[in-house]
Amino acid sequence: MSSLTAGEVVHVDPSALSTIDHIGILARVVLPGEVTGGNFAVVEQRGRLGFMTPRHLHTSESETFIVLEGALEGWCEGKSILVEAGQVLHLPANREHAFRVASDRAHHYIVVSPGGFEEFYPATGTVLDRSAFDEAPPLQGPVSPEKVDELAAWLAPRGASITGPPPFAP
């Protein structure tokens, strides 16, 4: 898709996309921001119970989760909400937030607005074989302090930060 420019009609076959293991969740960038003129990006994810992000804050990007299977728990500035298949969760920019997989397995899309932040996944994750997306997501343990430092270093120049450990019980 990198040869496409904003304003073109785009068809995406997700099975042709790279799969990334990103701190224990499988992700693939379905629609990069460069194709939407920077307006938004779409990332598809599959995860297992136990996956959770540290508390973090984006000064520019909002994240909207569209849950296809399973359940997610979103947390924003002290308030938690459970969203299940067919439901949507919006976490606005400039508000401390986190999310976790709240069911045995979950499958969802994240619409990130504006686009550009989707570069986070390949930059700080591990690229796997494309077929790995259809396999069972990895079992997730706590994100190591070294990995948190790596994520924080990537986030800082982009106006985002890790603000603390996950707000969820293990």
Side-chain angles (χ1 to χ4, degrees):
M1 283 190 290
S2 61
S3 64
L4 297 175
T5 58
E8 290 186 29
V9 174
V10 177
H11 169 262
V12 178
D13 176 0
S15 68
L17 301 173
S18 296
T19 297
I20 301 155
D21 179 344
H22 193 264
I23 63 171
I25 200 162
L26 298 178
R28 52 188 179 193
V29 177
V30 176
L31 194 62
E34 66 188 33
V35 174
T36 68
N39 292 310
F40 66 94
V42 178
V43 178
E44 183 180 16
Q45 294 186 329
R46 286 186 185 272
R48 291 175 76 170
L49 185 64
F51 173 83
M52 59 184 75
T53 65
R55 292 191 320 263
H56 58 283
L57 183 136
H58 310 257
T59 56
S60 300
E61 297 87 13
S62 66
E63 296 176 291
T64 302
F65 295 78
I66 303 165
V67 182
L68 303 174
E69 297 172 25
L72 301 177
E73 182 179 8
W75 178 92
C76 186
E77 296 184 343
K79 181 180 178 185
S80 292
I81 187 164
L82 183 70
V83 288
E84 297 176 312
Q87 298 179 336
V88 175
L89 170 68
H90 178 73
L91 298 173
N94 221 18
R95 308 255 323 260
E96 183 184 37
H97 63 271
F99 83 96
R100 75 176 186 101
V101 173
S103 56
D104 181 51
R105 295 184 186 201
H107 180 197
H108 59 276
Y109 285 100
I110 305 173
V111 179
V112 182
S113 178
F117 189 79
E118 71 281 1
E119 296 170 8
F120 181 58
Y121 297 95
T124 60
T126 302
V127 177
L128 306 172
D129 182 82
R130 288 182 176 135
S131 64
F133 194 80
D134 295 323
E135 297 172 8
L139 287 172
Q140 172 63 24
V143 178
S144 72
E146 296 80 19
K147 188 65 174 181
V148 169
D149 290 345
E150 176 190 341
L151 299 173
W154 192 92
L155 293 168
R158 292 160 180 86
S161 59
I162 294 177
T163 56
F168 311 103

